[in-house]
Amino acid sequence: MTKADVTIVGTGPNGLAAAVVMARAGLQVQLFDGHHEIGGGLRTTSLFDTDITHDVCAAVHPMAAASRFFREFDLPSRGVRLCLPEVSYAHPLPDGTAALAHHDLETTCARLGADGESWRRLMTPLLEHSSAVVDLALSHQRAVPRDLLVAVRFAARTLALGTRLGRRTLTTEAGKALLTGVAAHAVGRLPSLASGAIALLLGHLAHGSGWPLPEGGSSRIAEALAADITAHGGVFHTGCRIDDLRQLRESKAVLFDTAPKGLLQAAGDLLPARYAGHLSRFRHGPGAAKADFLVNAPIPWKDPDVGLAGTVHLGGTQAQIRHQEGLTAAGIAAPEPFVLVVDPAVTDPTRARGGKRPVWAYAHVPNGSSQDPMPLVQARIEQYAPGFTDTVVAGRGISARDYEAYNPNYVGGDINGGAVTLKQSVLRPAPRVDPYRTPLRGVYLCSASTPPGPGVHGMSGYLAARSALRHEFGIHTAPSLAP
Ligand SMILES: Cc1cc2nc3c(=O)[nH]c(=O)nc-3n(C[C@H](O)[C@H](O)[C@H](O)COP(=O)(O)OP(=O)(O)OC[C@H]3O[C@@H](n4cnc5c(N)ncnc54)[C@H](O)[C@@H]3O)c2cc1C
C-alpha cells in the first residue's frame, strides 16, 4: 500500500469528487474500490456480448448538470457532452394518454390544459432562482441558508406538496400524476416532506438545466473525474476492498464513500460507542430492482409522444402511485410497482448500433427483496407499450438483494444510501454539527448517506473534502475546480 496524505475508500461520484478537491489542494491522494472498475453508480458496460452498452446504475443526470461541484468542474468543457431530451420525463396514464414535462415550460403548460397555469406558478419562481434553489437543496443542511427568501419560499412549497395541504395545487389526473412521479424518486411513502423537496428540485430542473444523459453513458462522468484526479497525482487501486481502517494508518485523512454499515465494518471497534450506535440505527429505505434489456426497436408507447422522453415514469394515477409506494415502504411487494424506464438512444443516438439499443429500467421493491424483477418490469412496460416484449432480444434482472452484493453501499437494494425522510435528511448520518467528520481523528464519511443525500451531484464528497482540508490540513480556501 502506498503512502498518501489522503485515502478515499470507494470511487462513486462522491469519492471521486472528494479526490478531485483533495488532489487539487496539492495533497497526495489514493483511492480504493472493492470493484474491479471505478465509478460506483456511474458504470456503463456491455451486458449481452454486443457492443451496446448499458448503465448499470445511474443513467440520467439532472444533478450533475446543476450542482455547485459539477458547475465548477464543468463537464462539457472536459469533453462530456450532456445530451438533453426534448421531453425531460413522461408519465403515461391508464387511459392511453400521457402527461409530458417538456424541457420547454410553456409547451408543458399548454399540454397540461386546466393545470397549465398552476404548473407555471409552481415552477417559474424556482426557475428564476434556480442556482439558489439547487445550492439550498444540495447543501450540508446544517447552517442558515445564504438566500433566506428562497429558503422560505422553498420550505413553504415543500410543506404544501409534502402534506395534504397541497392537494389543490394541481387538479387534473395528468398534472397530479406528473408531479407525483417525480416525488416518487424519494422511494418511500407519499406524500412526505422529503419527497416534496425532491419533486421541487428535480421538477424545476426538468425545465431549467434539464435531465441530460451523458453521450456514451454515465461512465463518461466517472472518466472525466478520474482523468482530473490522475492529472493531479492521484492513484487508483481497484479490486481492493477495505475492511479494516488499520490498513490505512499511513494517511492523515481517510474518507469513506461507503454506507454507514461499511464504516462500521471497517472501524466499528475504534468508534466511540455513541457514534457507532447512531450508525447502526441508520435507516435504509425500500430497494430497487433493475431490469436491462437489449431490444431491436424503440419502445412502442401507446402515446407516441412518450417516445420523445429521456425518462418515463410508470405508476399510473397519483392514487395508484401512492398505493404502490405505501405497500413497498411497508415491505409488501406491489403487484404493479412504480417503474422508471430510460431508452437512452432517444436522447443519445450513439447508444443504438446495428438496429439494437439498450433499455434501462428499475422497479421500487421492498428492502432486501430477492424477487427477479425481469417479468414484472417487462409486464409493466408492455402495459403502456403493447408489443414491447416482441422487441426484446435479451434481458437480465438484478434483485434488490443482489444489488447489495454488486455494491455494498446499496444496503438491501436501497440505492438512495438511506431512507429519504425529513428526519434523516437533517440528521444524515448522525446528529452532528459536521455530518462528514466522525469522532475518530482524520476519519470522514462522504457518501450519499451524508447530506445532501442521493444522486450524482458530487456534493457529499465535495463538502466532506472541504471539511477534511480545514480540520486535518489547515487549508481553508477551496481549490479551483475549473479545467
Ligand atoms: C439502478 C440505479 C439507478 C440510479 N439512477 C440514478 C440516476 O439516473 N441519476 C442519479 O443522479 N442517481 C441515480 N442513482 C443513484 C446514484 O447512483 C447514487 O446516488 C450515487 O452513485 C451515490 O454515489 P456515492 O459516491 O455516494 O456511492 P456509490 O456510487 O454507491 O459508490 C460507492 C463505491 O464504493 C465502493 N465500496 C463500498 N464499500 C467499499 C469498501 N469497503 N472498500 C472499497 N470499496 C468500497 C463500491 O464498490 C462503489 O464503487 C441510481 C442508482 C441505481 C442503483
Side-chain angles (χ1 to χ4, degrees), residues 9-15 32-35 39-41 43 56-61 63 240-243 257-258 290 360 362 403 407-410 415 446-448 454-456:
V9 180
T11 64
N14 286 311
F32 291 89
D33 205 295
H35 200 270
R43 295 186 195 112
V56 183
C57 304
V60 183
H61 294 284
M63 291 187 255
C240 190
R241 188 181 160 127
I242 301 295
D243 287 314
D257 181 16
T258 67
K290 177 99 181 301
W360 170 109
Y362 71 88
Y403 243 139
N407 179 346
N409 285 24
Y410 304 150
I415 64 171
C446 72
S447 70
V456 177

mmCIF file of all heavy atoms in Angstrom, residues 9-15 32-35 39-41 43 56-61 63 240-243 257-258 290 360 362 403 407-410 415 446-448 454-456, ligand 1:
data_model
loop_
_atom_site.group_PDB
_atom_site.id
_atom_site.type_symbol
_atom_site.label_atom_id
_atom_site.label_comp_id
_atom_site.label_asym_id
_atom_site.label_seq_id
_atom_site.Cartn_x
_atom_site.Cartn_y
_atom_site.Cartn_z
ATOM 1 N N VAL A 9 -11.947 5.639 0.318
ATOM 2 C CA VAL A 9 -12.449 4.260 0.188
ATOM 3 C C VAL A 9 -13.751 4.326 -0.603
ATOM 4 O O VAL A 9 -14.765 4.790 -0.089
ATOM 5 C CB VAL A 9 -12.686 3.633 1.576
ATOM 6 C CG1 VAL A 9 -13.213 2.207 1.428
ATOM 7 C CG2 VAL A 9 -11.407 3.650 2.402
ATOM 8 N N GLY A 10 -13.715 3.901 -1.848
ATOM 9 C CA GLY A 10 -14.901 3.947 -2.702
ATOM 10 C C GLY A 10 -14.745 5.017 -3.768
ATOM 11 O O GLY A 10 -14.343 6.152 -3.462
ATOM 12 N N THR A 11 -15.044 4.633 -5.022
ATOM 13 C CA THR A 11 -14.859 5.585 -6.132
ATOM 14 C C THR A 11 -16.176 5.897 -6.826
ATOM 15 O O THR A 11 -16.236 6.027 -8.042
ATOM 16 C CB THR A 11 -13.866 5.024 -7.167
ATOM 17 O OG1 THR A 11 -14.456 3.832 -7.723
ATOM 18 C CG2 THR A 11 -12.524 4.693 -6.547
ATOM 19 N N GLY A 12 -17.266 5.989 -6.051
ATOM 20 C CA GLY A 12 -18.516 6.501 -6.611
ATOM 21 C C GLY A 12 -18.348 7.997 -6.874
ATOM 22 O O GLY A 12 -17.277 8.572 -6.583
ATOM 23 N N PRO A 13 -19.386 8.654 -7.397
ATOM 24 C CA PRO A 13 -19.255 10.088 -7.702
ATOM 25 C C PRO A 13 -18.801 10.920 -6.504
ATOM 26 O O PRO A 13 -18.048 11.886 -6.675
ATOM 27 C CB PRO A 13 -20.652 10.487 -8.163
ATOM 28 C CG PRO A 13 -21.545 9.319 -7.859
ATOM 29 C CD PRO A 13 -20.684 8.113 -7.777
ATOM 30 N N ASN A 14 -19.224 10.526 -5.294
ATOM 31 C CA ASN A 14 -18.802 11.317 -4.124
ATOM 32 C C ASN A 14 -17.341 11.077 -3.767
ATOM 33 O O ASN A 14 -16.623 12.025 -3.417
ATOM 34 C CB ASN A 14 -19.705 11.010 -2.926
ATOM 35 C CG ASN A 14 -21.067 11.657 -3.088
ATOM 36 O OD1 ASN A 14 -21.152 12.843 -3.402
ATOM 37 N ND2 ASN A 14 -22.127 10.885 -2.914
ATOM 38 N N GLY A 15 -16.886 9.826 -3.845
ATOM 39 C CA GLY A 15 -15.472 9.548 -3.590
ATOM 40 C C GLY A 15 -14.604 10.268 -4.609
ATOM 41 O O GLY A 15 -13.568 10.851 -4.270
ATOM 42 N N PHE A 32 -9.339 3.561 -3.237
ATOM 43 C CA PHE A 32 -9.541 2.118 -3.294
ATOM 44 C C PHE A 32 -10.983 1.829 -3.671
ATOM 45 O O PHE A 32 -11.897 2.525 -3.213
ATOM 46 C CB PHE A 32 -9.274 1.479 -1.927
ATOM 47 C CG PHE A 32 -7.826 1.515 -1.542
ATOM 48 C CD1 PHE A 32 -7.316 2.601 -0.852
ATOM 49 C CD2 PHE A 32 -6.982 0.470 -1.874
ATOM 50 C CE1 PHE A 32 -5.976 2.652 -0.506
ATOM 51 C CE2 PHE A 32 -5.644 0.512 -1.539
ATOM 52 C CZ PHE A 32 -5.129 1.602 -0.847
ATOM 53 N N ASP A 33 -11.176 0.789 -4.471
ATOM 54 C CA ASP A 33 -12.543 0.317 -4.693
ATOM 55 C C ASP A 33 -12.548 -1.207 -4.696
ATOM 56 O O ASP A 33 -11.662 -1.837 -5.299
ATOM 57 C CB ASP A 33 -13.137 0.856 -5.997
ATOM 58 C CG ASP A 33 -14.662 0.877 -5.922
ATOM 59 O OD1 ASP A 33 -15.283 -0.227 -5.829
ATOM 60 O OD2 ASP A 33 -15.251 1.965 -5.891
ATOM 61 N N GLY A 34 -13.548 -1.776 -4.040
ATOM 62 C CA GLY A 34 -13.668 -3.232 -3.990
ATOM 63 C C GLY A 34 -13.999 -3.808 -5.359
ATOM 64 O O GLY A 34 -13.710 -4.970 -5.649
ATOM 65 N N HIS A 35 -14.616 -3.014 -6.215
ATOM 66 C CA HIS A 35 -14.993 -3.464 -7.558
ATOM 67 C C HIS A 35 -13.775 -3.342 -8.479
ATOM 68 O O HIS A 35 -12.890 -2.538 -8.215
ATOM 69 C CB HIS A 35 -16.146 -2.593 -8.067
ATOM 70 C CG HIS A 35 -16.918 -3.210 -9.181
ATOM 71 N ND1 HIS A 35 -16.585 -3.023 -10.503
ATOM 72 C CD2 HIS A 35 -17.999 -4.031 -9.181
ATOM 73 C CE1 HIS A 35 -17.433 -3.682 -11.272
ATOM 74 N NE2 HIS A 35 -18.310 -4.313 -10.485
ATOM 75 N N GLY A 39 -15.975 4.065 -10.325
ATOM 76 C CA GLY A 39 -17.205 4.744 -10.741
ATOM 77 C C GLY A 39 -18.421 4.521 -9.861
ATOM 78 O O GLY A 39 -19.360 5.305 -9.896
ATOM 79 N N GLY A 40 -18.462 3.413 -9.075
ATOM 80 C CA GLY A 40 -19.650 3.167 -8.249
ATOM 81 C C GLY A 40 -20.899 3.203 -9.101
ATOM 82 O O GLY A 40 -21.030 2.436 -10.061
ATOM 83 N N GLY A 41 -21.827 4.118 -8.775
ATOM 84 C CA GLY A 41 -23.092 4.218 -9.506
ATOM 85 C C GLY A 41 -22.950 4.766 -10.915
ATOM 86 O O GLY A 41 -23.955 4.988 -11.587
ATOM 87 N N ARG A 43 -21.139 3.349 -13.550
ATOM 88 C CA ARG A 43 -20.531 2.418 -14.508
ATOM 89 C C ARG A 43 -21.443 2.176 -15.710
ATOM 90 O O ARG A 43 -22.662 2.105 -15.566
ATOM 91 C CB ARG A 43 -20.216 1.078 -13.826
ATOM 92 C CG ARG A 43 -19.158 1.235 -12.757
ATOM 93 C CD ARG A 43 -18.711 -0.087 -12.162
ATOM 94 N NE ARG A 43 -17.982 0.187 -10.936
ATOM 95 C CZ ARG A 43 -18.412 -0.128 -9.713
ATOM 96 N NH1 ARG A 43 -19.532 -0.788 -9.553
ATOM 97 N NH2 ARG A 43 -17.689 0.194 -8.659
ATOM 98 N N VAL A 56 -25.254 0.579 -15.571
ATOM 99 C CA VAL A 56 -25.599 -0.419 -14.550
ATOM 100 C C VAL A 56 -26.452 0.225 -13.455
ATOM 101 O O VAL A 56 -27.347 -0.400 -12.908
ATOM 102 C CB VAL A 56 -24.321 -1.044 -13.941
ATOM 103 C CG1 VAL A 56 -24.665 -2.133 -12.937
ATOM 104 C CG2 VAL A 56 -23.421 -1.595 -15.033
ATOM 105 N N CYS A 57 -26.161 1.491 -13.132
ATOM 106 C CA CYS A 57 -26.932 2.186 -12.082
ATOM 107 C C CYS A 57 -27.498 3.478 -12.667
ATOM 108 O O CYS A 57 -28.430 3.412 -13.449
ATOM 109 C CB CYS A 57 -26.046 2.456 -10.864
ATOM 110 S SG CYS A 57 -25.274 0.973 -10.198
ATOM 111 N N ALA A 58 -26.918 4.620 -12.320
ATOM 112 C CA ALA A 58 -27.486 5.905 -12.755
ATOM 113 C C ALA A 58 -27.398 6.066 -14.269
ATOM 114 O O ALA A 58 -26.441 5.609 -14.897
ATOM 115 C CB ALA A 58 -26.763 7.050 -12.063
ATOM 116 N N ALA A 59 -28.418 6.729 -14.833
ATOM 117 C CA ALA A 59 -28.444 6.955 -16.281
ATOM 118 C C ALA A 59 -28.708 8.417 -16.628
ATOM 119 O O ALA A 59 -28.212 8.925 -17.632
ATOM 120 C CB ALA A 59 -29.522 6.080 -16.915
ATOM 121 N N VAL A 60 -29.506 9.095 -15.801
ATOM 122 C CA VAL A 60 -29.991 10.442 -16.144
ATOM 123 C C VAL A 60 -29.467 11.418 -15.088
ATOM 124 O O VAL A 60 -29.504 11.112 -13.889
ATOM 125 C CB VAL A 60 -31.536 10.449 -16.170
ATOM 126 C CG1 VAL A 60 -32.071 11.803 -16.594
ATOM 127 C CG2 VAL A 60 -32.041 9.355 -17.102
ATOM 128 N N HIS A 61 -29.010 12.611 -15.520
ATOM 129 C CA HIS A 61 -28.191 13.408 -14.603
ATOM 130 C C HIS A 61 -28.604 14.872 -14.413
ATOM 131 O O HIS A 61 -27.810 15.784 -14.653
ATOM 132 C CB HIS A 61 -26.733 13.298 -15.048
ATOM 133 C CG HIS A 61 -26.232 11.912 -14.875
ATOM 134 N ND1 HIS A 61 -25.892 11.399 -13.650
ATOM 135 C CD2 HIS A 61 -26.101 10.893 -15.765
ATOM 136 C CE1 HIS A 61 -25.532 10.128 -13.783
ATOM 137 N NE2 HIS A 61 -25.662 9.795 -15.055
ATOM 138 N N MET A 63 -28.781 16.355 -11.647
ATOM 139 C CA MET A 63 -27.956 16.974 -10.592
ATOM 140 C C MET A 63 -26.513 17.177 -11.035
ATOM 141 O O MET A 63 -25.868 18.120 -10.617
ATOM 142 C CB MET A 63 -28.044 16.139 -9.313
ATOM 143 C CG MET A 63 -29.433 16.247 -8.702
ATOM 144 S SD MET A 63 -29.546 15.464 -7.122
ATOM 145 C CE MET A 63 -30.425 14.003 -7.545
ATOM 146 N N CYS A 240 -9.954 -3.893 -4.677
ATOM 147 C CA CYS A 240 -9.309 -3.906 -3.364
ATOM 148 C C CYS A 240 -10.288 -3.344 -2.318
ATOM 149 O O CYS A 240 -10.415 -2.131 -2.157
ATOM 150 C CB CYS A 240 -8.042 -3.050 -3.461
ATOM 151 S SG CYS A 240 -7.006 -3.210 -2.028
ATOM 152 N N ARG A 241 -10.990 -4.238 -1.662
ATOM 153 C CA ARG A 241 -11.987 -3.816 -0.674
ATOM 154 C C ARG A 241 -11.290 -3.536 0.657
ATOM 155 O O ARG A 241 -10.413 -4.300 1.072
ATOM 156 C CB ARG A 241 -13.021 -4.941 -0.526
ATOM 157 C CG ARG A 241 -14.189 -4.545 0.306
ATOM 158 C CD ARG A 241 -15.176 -5.687 0.439
ATOM 159 N NE ARG A 241 -15.994 -5.421 1.609
ATOM 160 C CZ ARG A 241 -17.301 -5.412 1.625
ATOM 161 N NH1 ARG A 241 -17.970 -5.702 0.547
ATOM 162 N NH2 ARG A 241 -17.960 -5.144 2.732
ATOM 163 N N ILE A 242 -11.680 -2.460 1.311
ATOM 164 C CA ILE A 242 -11.080 -2.104 2.600
ATOM 165 C C ILE A 242 -12.044 -2.534 3.708
ATOM 166 O O ILE A 242 -13.155 -2.017 3.804
ATOM 167 C CB ILE A 242 -10.812 -0.578 2.678
ATOM 168 C CG1 ILE A 242 -9.875 -0.136 1.551
ATOM 169 C CG2 ILE A 242 -10.279 -0.188 4.054
ATOM 170 C CD1 ILE A 242 -8.472 -0.701 1.597
ATOM 171 N N ASP A 243 -11.615 -3.446 4.528
ATOM 172 C CA ASP A 243 -12.479 -3.936 5.603
ATOM 173 C C ASP A 243 -11.959 -3.566 6.980
ATOM 174 O O ASP A 243 -12.606 -3.862 7.983
ATOM 175 C CB ASP A 243 -12.619 -5.472 5.507
ATOM 176 C CG ASP A 243 -13.512 -5.855 4.335
ATOM 177 O OD1 ASP A 243 -14.577 -5.236 4.186
ATOM 178 O OD2 ASP A 243 -13.111 -6.736 3.549
ATOM 179 N N ASP A 257 -16.372 6.607 1.197
ATOM 180 C CA ASP A 257 -17.525 6.770 0.294
ATOM 181 C C ASP A 257 -18.355 5.485 0.411
ATOM 182 O O ASP A 257 -18.569 4.767 -0.565
ATOM 183 C CB ASP A 257 -17.022 6.993 -1.138
ATOM 184 C CG ASP A 257 -18.150 7.184 -2.138
ATOM 185 O OD1 ASP A 257 -19.284 7.454 -1.711
ATOM 186 O OD2 ASP A 257 -17.895 7.040 -3.355
ATOM 187 N N THR A 258 -18.750 5.181 1.631
ATOM 188 C CA THR A 258 -19.480 3.932 1.896
ATOM 189 C C THR A 258 -20.745 4.255 2.685
ATOM 190 O O THR A 258 -20.882 5.348 3.236
ATOM 191 C CB THR A 258 -18.634 2.961 2.751
ATOM 192 O OG1 THR A 258 -18.478 3.532 4.060
ATOM 193 C CG2 THR A 258 -17.254 2.706 2.155
ATOM 194 N N LYS A 290 -33.377 -3.914 -10.723
ATOM 195 C CA LYS A 290 -33.110 -3.380 -12.060
ATOM 196 C C LYS A 290 -33.361 -4.420 -13.141
ATOM 197 O O LYS A 290 -33.065 -5.603 -12.964
ATOM 198 C CB LYS A 290 -31.633 -2.949 -12.086
ATOM 199 C CG LYS A 290 -31.126 -2.440 -13.413
ATOM 200 C CD LYS A 290 -31.115 -0.938 -13.454
ATOM 201 C CE LYS A 290 -30.631 -0.386 -14.784
ATOM 202 N NZ LYS A 290 -29.285 -0.815 -15.131
ATOM 203 N N TRP A 360 -33.146 0.629 -20.119
ATOM 204 C CA TRP A 360 -32.768 0.649 -18.697
ATOM 205 C C TRP A 360 -34.057 0.818 -17.912
ATOM 206 O O TRP A 360 -34.861 1.683 -18.241
ATOM 207 C CB TRP A 360 -31.836 1.838 -18.547
ATOM 208 C CG TRP A 360 -31.383 2.361 -17.231
ATOM 209 C CD1 TRP A 360 -30.126 2.259 -16.729
ATOM 210 C CD2 TRP A 360 -32.107 3.176 -16.292
ATOM 211 N NE1 TRP A 360 -30.030 2.938 -15.532
ATOM 212 C CE2 TRP A 360 -31.229 3.502 -15.243
ATOM 213 C CE3 TRP A 360 -33.421 3.650 -16.219
ATOM 214 C CZ2 TRP A 360 -31.613 4.276 -14.144
ATOM 215 C CZ3 TRP A 360 -33.805 4.417 -15.132
ATOM 216 C CH2 TRP A 360 -32.895 4.716 -14.114
ATOM 217 N N TYR A 362 -35.913 0.264 -13.726
ATOM 218 C CA TYR A 362 -35.899 -0.355 -12.404
ATOM 219 C C TYR A 362 -37.235 -0.149 -11.708
ATOM 220 O O TYR A 362 -37.975 0.790 -12.005
ATOM 221 C CB TYR A 362 -34.714 0.101 -11.533
ATOM 222 C CG TYR A 362 -34.733 1.516 -10.998
ATOM 223 C CD1 TYR A 362 -35.356 1.827 -9.791
ATOM 224 C CD2 TYR A 362 -34.089 2.542 -11.673
ATOM 225 C CE1 TYR A 362 -35.336 3.112 -9.280
ATOM 226 C CE2 TYR A 362 -34.062 3.831 -11.169
ATOM 227 C CZ TYR A 362 -34.685 4.110 -9.968
ATOM 228 O OH TYR A 362 -34.671 5.388 -9.462
ATOM 229 N N TYR A 403 -28.274 -6.419 -5.622
ATOM 230 C CA TYR A 403 -27.649 -5.096 -5.797
ATOM 231 C C TYR A 403 -26.637 -4.819 -4.688
ATOM 232 O O TYR A 403 -25.598 -4.211 -4.907
ATOM 233 C CB TYR A 403 -28.712 -3.986 -5.800
ATOM 234 C CG TYR A 403 -28.754 -3.244 -7.121
ATOM 235 C CD1 TYR A 403 -29.949 -2.877 -7.693
ATOM 236 C CD2 TYR A 403 -27.577 -2.904 -7.782
ATOM 237 C CE1 TYR A 403 -29.993 -2.221 -8.906
ATOM 238 C CE2 TYR A 403 -27.608 -2.248 -8.999
ATOM 239 C CZ TYR A 403 -28.814 -1.907 -9.551
ATOM 240 O OH TYR A 403 -28.838 -1.263 -10.744
ATOM 241 N N ASN A 407 -22.782 -3.774 -5.050
ATOM 242 C CA ASN A 407 -22.229 -2.559 -4.438
ATOM 243 C C ASN A 407 -22.692 -2.520 -2.981
ATOM 244 O O ASN A 407 -23.883 -2.310 -2.718
ATOM 245 C CB ASN A 407 -22.734 -1.333 -5.211
ATOM 246 C CG ASN A 407 -22.227 -0.016 -4.632
ATOM 247 O OD1 ASN A 407 -21.699 0.029 -3.507
ATOM 248 N ND2 ASN A 407 -22.386 1.065 -5.377
ATOM 249 N N PRO A 408 -21.779 -2.706 -2.024
ATOM 250 C CA PRO A 408 -22.197 -2.791 -0.611
ATOM 251 C C PRO A 408 -22.888 -1.529 -0.091
ATOM 252 O O PRO A 408 -23.535 -1.580 0.957
ATOM 253 C CB PRO A 408 -20.890 -3.050 0.138
ATOM 254 C CG PRO A 408 -19.785 -2.824 -0.831
ATOM 255 C CD PRO A 408 -20.342 -2.895 -2.207
ATOM 256 N N ASN A 409 -22.780 -0.420 -0.844
ATOM 257 C CA ASN A 409 -23.481 0.799 -0.406
ATOM 258 C C ASN A 409 -24.996 0.673 -0.545
ATOM 259 O O ASN A 409 -25.750 1.382 0.118
ATOM 260 C CB ASN A 409 -23.020 2.015 -1.233
ATOM 261 C CG ASN A 409 -21.641 2.494 -0.822
ATOM 262 O OD1 ASN A 409 -20.857 1.724 -0.274
ATOM 263 N ND2 ASN A 409 -21.333 3.748 -1.081
ATOM 264 N N TYR A 410 -25.453 -0.201 -1.446
ATOM 265 C CA TYR A 410 -26.895 -0.363 -1.664
ATOM 266 C C TYR A 410 -27.425 -1.396 -0.673
ATOM 267 O O TYR A 410 -27.738 -2.541 -1.043
ATOM 268 C CB TYR A 410 -27.190 -0.827 -3.091
ATOM 269 C CG TYR A 410 -26.658 0.044 -4.199
ATOM 270 C CD1 TYR A 410 -26.292 -0.505 -5.425
ATOM 271 C CD2 TYR A 410 -26.520 1.419 -4.045
ATOM 272 C CE1 TYR A 410 -25.812 0.288 -6.463
ATOM 273 C CE2 TYR A 410 -26.038 2.217 -5.076
ATOM 274 C CZ TYR A 410 -25.682 1.647 -6.277
ATOM 275 O OH TYR A 410 -25.207 2.424 -7.301
ATOM 276 N N ILE A 415 -30.935 2.217 -3.074
ATOM 277 C CA ILE A 415 -29.993 2.945 -3.939
ATOM 278 C C ILE A 415 -29.854 4.400 -3.521
ATOM 279 O O ILE A 415 -29.095 5.150 -4.114
ATOM 280 C CB ILE A 415 -30.412 2.852 -5.427
ATOM 281 C CG1 ILE A 415 -31.763 3.536 -5.664
ATOM 282 C CG2 ILE A 415 -30.454 1.404 -5.879
ATOM 283 C CD1 ILE A 415 -32.123 3.682 -7.128
ATOM 284 N N CYS A 446 -18.267 10.274 3.359
ATOM 285 C CA CYS A 446 -18.526 11.236 2.267
ATOM 286 C C CYS A 446 -19.506 10.698 1.240
ATOM 287 O O CYS A 446 -19.615 11.238 0.149
ATOM 288 C CB CYS A 446 -17.221 11.626 1.584
ATOM 289 S SG CYS A 446 -16.475 10.335 0.567
ATOM 290 N N SER A 447 -20.238 9.626 1.546
ATOM 291 C CA SER A 447 -21.121 9.001 0.555
ATOM 292 C C SER A 447 -22.503 9.666 0.542
ATOM 293 O O SER A 447 -22.780 10.600 1.296
ATOM 294 C CB SER A 447 -21.297 7.526 0.900
ATOM 295 O OG SER A 447 -22.071 7.433 2.083
ATOM 296 N N ALA A 448 -23.397 9.095 -0.274
ATOM 297 C CA ALA A 448 -24.776 9.577 -0.347
ATOM 298 C C ALA A 448 -25.515 9.382 0.977
ATOM 299 O O ALA A 448 -26.631 9.892 1.130
ATOM 300 C CB ALA A 448 -25.508 8.851 -1.467
ATOM 301 N N PRO A 454 -28.990 11.263 -1.844
ATOM 302 C CA PRO A 454 -28.794 10.500 -3.067
ATOM 303 C C PRO A 454 -28.629 11.322 -4.334
ATOM 304 O O PRO A 454 -29.022 12.488 -4.391
ATOM 305 C CB PRO A 454 -30.084 9.670 -3.159
ATOM 306 C CG PRO A 454 -31.077 10.394 -2.339
ATOM 307 C CD PRO A 454 -30.314 11.087 -1.258
ATOM 308 N N GLY A 455 -28.053 10.670 -5.348
ATOM 309 C CA GLY A 455 -27.935 11.284 -6.666
ATOM 310 C C GLY A 455 -26.488 11.582 -7.018
ATOM 311 O O GLY A 455 -25.609 11.621 -6.152
ATOM 312 N N VAL A 456 -26.292 11.797 -8.320
ATOM 313 C CA VAL A 456 -24.949 12.081 -8.818
ATOM 314 C C VAL A 456 -24.767 13.599 -8.861
ATOM 315 O O VAL A 456 -25.063 14.240 -9.863
ATOM 316 C CB VAL A 456 -24.752 11.430 -10.200
ATOM 317 C CG1 VAL A 456 -23.385 11.787 -10.770
ATOM 318 C CG2 VAL A 456 -24.902 9.912 -10.087
HETATM 319 C C1 LIG B 1 -30.449 1.427 -10.555
HETATM 320 C C2 LIG B 1 -29.984 2.776 -10.114
HETATM 321 C C3 LIG B 1 -30.404 3.879 -10.811
HETATM 322 C C4 LIG B 1 -29.998 5.153 -10.422
HETATM 323 N N1 LIG B 1 -30.337 6.200 -11.204
HETATM 324 C C5 LIG B 1 -29.836 7.420 -10.940
HETATM 325 C C6 LIG B 1 -29.969 8.450 -11.890
HETATM 326 O O1 LIG B 1 -30.474 8.231 -13.005
HETATM 327 N N2 LIG B 1 -29.477 9.682 -11.562
HETATM 328 C C7 LIG B 1 -28.836 9.916 -10.372
HETATM 329 O O2 LIG B 1 -28.415 11.051 -10.119
HETATM 330 N N3 LIG B 1 -28.650 8.917 -9.473
HETATM 331 C C8 LIG B 1 -29.108 7.680 -9.741
HETATM 332 N N4 LIG B 1 -28.854 6.636 -8.896
HETATM 333 C C9 LIG B 1 -28.235 6.921 -7.596
HETATM 334 C C10 LIG B 1 -26.747 7.173 -7.708
HETATM 335 O O3 LIG B 1 -26.128 6.181 -8.471
HETATM 336 C C11 LIG B 1 -26.144 7.212 -6.299
HETATM 337 O O4 LIG B 1 -26.849 8.153 -5.501
HETATM 338 C C12 LIG B 1 -24.683 7.618 -6.342
HETATM 339 O O5 LIG B 1 -23.937 6.751 -7.175
HETATM 340 C C13 LIG B 1 -24.098 7.619 -4.945
HETATM 341 O O6 LIG B 1 -22.739 7.939 -5.046
HETATM 342 P P1 LIG B 1 -21.690 7.551 -3.920
HETATM 343 O O7 LIG B 1 -20.378 8.074 -4.380
HETATM 344 O O8 LIG B 1 -22.193 8.001 -2.607
HETATM 345 O O9 LIG B 1 -21.642 5.943 -3.846
HETATM 346 P P2 LIG B 1 -21.596 4.823 -4.949
HETATM 347 O O10 LIG B 1 -21.810 5.373 -6.299
HETATM 348 O O11 LIG B 1 -22.520 3.756 -4.479
HETATM 349 O O12 LIG B 1 -20.103 4.284 -4.890
HETATM 350 C C14 LIG B 1 -19.574 3.633 -3.781
HETATM 351 C C15 LIG B 1 -18.337 2.864 -4.214
HETATM 352 O O13 LIG B 1 -17.664 2.413 -3.037
HETATM 353 C C16 LIG B 1 -17.208 1.099 -3.234
HETATM 354 N N5 LIG B 1 -17.073 0.496 -1.908
HETATM 355 C C17 LIG B 1 -18.038 0.351 -0.970
HETATM 356 N N6 LIG B 1 -17.519 -0.211 0.140
HETATM 357 C C18 LIG B 1 -16.197 -0.389 -0.096
HETATM 358 C C19 LIG B 1 -15.115 -0.902 0.696
HETATM 359 N N7 LIG B 1 -15.288 -1.349 1.926
HETATM 360 N N8 LIG B 1 -13.878 -0.944 0.137
HETATM 361 C C20 LIG B 1 -13.664 -0.498 -1.123
HETATM 362 N N9 LIG B 1 -14.648 -0.002 -1.908
HETATM 363 C C21 LIG B 1 -15.899 0.062 -1.395
HETATM 364 C C22 LIG B 1 -18.263 0.468 -4.120
HETATM 365 O O14 LIG B 1 -17.729 -0.628 -4.842
HETATM 366 C C23 LIG B 1 -18.638 1.634 -5.038
HETATM 367 O O15 LIG B 1 -17.829 1.640 -6.189
HETATM 368 C C24 LIG B 1 -29.193 5.333 -9.274
HETATM 369 C C25 LIG B 1 -28.741 4.212 -8.578
HETATM 370 C C26 LIG B 1 -29.108 2.950 -9.008
HETATM 371 C C27 LIG B 1 -28.539 1.742 -8.334
#
